[in-house]
Amino acid sequence: MTVPAKPVLLTGASVALGRQLTRWLAEAGWTLRLTDIVPFPDRLPSGASFVRADLNDGVAILRLAEGCEAILHFGGISVERPFEEVLGPNIRGLYHVYEAARRERARVVFASSNHTIGFHERTEPLDHDCDMRPDGYYGLAKAYGELMGRMYWDKHGVESVFLRIGSSVPEPINHRMLSTWLSYPDLCRLVERCVLAERVGCVVIWGASDNSRTFWRKDARATIGWAPHDSADTFAGQLAGKVSGNPVEERYQGGPFCAMEYGRKGGFSPKDLFGDP
Ligand code: 15L
C-alpha cells in the first residue's frame, strides 16, 4: 500500500515542515486535509483541502479529523516562548488532537522535538528510552505531548509515533546541526512510513538524517521500515568551527534553547547572551 485508504489530517500545514509534507504527500497521491491558524501560502495541490482553524477550538479539530486515518500533528508553537503562549496551542491543542484521534481510531504522528531531551550533554549518546530533560516551556510541552500519547495508547489503544525532530531545515547552518540535521526529503519519507506502516503501537523515532556526529542511537525505525538517505556530513567542511561561543549552548544537545534565560550560578543572563533588547 502506498496511499492511505482514508484522508490524512495535517496540522501546522502553512509553515515550513507542513508545506514540505503537503507537497511531498500530495505528489504521492494522498488525500490531505490541511489546517493551520494562518492561511495556506501555496497553491493547493490536487487532493488537498485547507480549513483555517485554531488548535484551541476542540470542535473544529474534531470536525477536521472526521473520517481520517491519521493525524500528522505539526501545529502549535515551534520555538521557545513564555509558558502562557505555549499553553493553548501546544497543550490544550494537543488534547484536542488526541480526543479526535480517539474518536476516529486514527493514528497520531506527533512532531515532538529534541528539546524534550535538550539538557543532556552532547557527549552522552541517547536511546529512545532516555530520561526526558526538557530545555524550556516548548520542550516541556513536547514532553507532555509524548506522555499524553502514551496515556491514549495505554488507555484507549490510540497508536502514536513521536518524532523527536532535530533540526529540519534546508541545510545545516552550524556545528550543532552536523549532529541534529534532518533533511526535508528524509522527514517526508519518515512521515510517509509512520502512516503506511501496518502497526506501530506507541514509539519514539529520532528525527535526524544519517549524520555520523549524531547524539542519538536506538529507536523504533525498524518497526516502521525507515532509514535516512541524507547526511549532514557533506556540510562538515564548510561548518568547521561554526560554534556560538556560548558554553551553555555548546555543552548541551538542545543548543540555543538551553542557553535562553539560563539562570544557574556561573551561567549567563539573556543580556549576556543576546545583548540589550
Ligand atoms: C525545534 O524543535 C524547533 O522547532 C526548531 O525551530 C529548531 O530550533 C530545532 O528544534 C533545533 O533544535 O534546531
Side-chain angles (χ1 to χ4, degrees), residues 188-204:
C188 294
R189 283 186 285 261
L190 171 57
V191 170
E192 234 177 339
R193 287 308 311 152
C194 288
V195 176
L196 296 178
E198 205 168 313
R199 194 162 163 74
V200 297
C202 181
V203 293
V204 171

Side-chain angles (χ1 to χ4, degrees), residues 111-125:
S112 183
S113 170
N114 72 90
H115 297 291
T116 54
I117 53 82
F119 267 119
H120 284 278
E121 304 222 0
R122 294 194 188 180
T123 48
E124 184 188 357

Side-chain angles (χ1 to χ4, degrees), residues 146-161:
E146 290 194 20
L147 273 176
M148 186 180 290
R150 166 58 60 180
M151 187 277 275
Y152 272 80
W153 166 243
D154 288 337
K155 199 159 191 168
H156 305 297
V158 174
E159 290 194 304
S160 279
V161 186

Side-chain angles (χ1 to χ4, degrees), residues 77-79 112-115 138 142 165-169 176-177 180 253-254 256-257:
I77 305 273
S78 64
V79 290
S112 183
S113 170
N114 72 90
H115 297 291
Y138 163 72
K142 294 290 187 185
I165 299 174
S167 309
S168 198
V169 289
R176 170 176 171 269
M177 288 189 191
T180 59
Q253 298 191 6
F257 285 44

Side-chain angles (χ1 to χ4, degrees), residues 89-100 102 144 148 152:
N90 290 31
I91 303 278
R92 189 176 298 110
L94 194 86
Y95 163 68
H96 294 149
V97 164
Y98 269 99
E99 272 303 289
R102 178 166 75 98
Y144 184 80
M148 186 180 290
Y152 272 80

